[in-house]
Amino acid sequence: YFLKLFFQIKDVNNILKKIFQEFITISHRGGSLLAPENTLAAFENTVALGAHYYELDVRMSSDDSLVIMHDESINRTTNGLG
């Protein structure tokens, strides 16, 4: 609830940039509150806001390909199943 209210603040990007200047910051799943987690858009937001690092999750798919995905299945983050 607090985070939803926080992101309704008009100047949230400037507030986040200030926080990122004051602390060593790591964006979880690439800053998943501003864009879908573990996506290029999330990683670009992380860089634009000035985070020092971003965390991402790498998994092996059933065909032995590496994918950036937090969960073991796609159920939570897509409209697919598996």
Side-chain angles (χ1 to χ4, degrees), residues 42-61:
F43 302 138
E44 288 173 342
N45 282 337
T46 295
V47 171
L49 289 170
H52 298 93
Y53 305 95
Y54 58 85
E55 174 269 347
L56 57 89
D57 304 281
V58 179
R59 294 190 171 272
M60 183 88 64
S61 67

Side-chain angles (χ1 to χ4, degrees), residues 8-58:
Q8 291 175 4
I9 298 171
K10 183 179 180 183
D11 207 19
V12 71
N13 281 351
N14 287 332
I15 292 169
L16 289 173
K17 284 181 183 180
K18 180 68 174 167
I19 291 169
F20 286 12
Q21 290 170 356
E22 298 293 323
F23 300 95
I24 293 175
T25 53
I26 303 170
S27 293
H28 187 241
R29 299 183 203 160
S32 60
L33 292 176
L34 298 175
E37 66 185 49
N38 284 324
T39 62
L40 185 57
F43 302 138
E44 288 173 342
N45 282 337
T46 295
V47 171
L49 289 170
H52 298 93
Y53 305 95
Y54 58 85
E55 174 269 347
L56 57 89
D57 304 281
V58 179

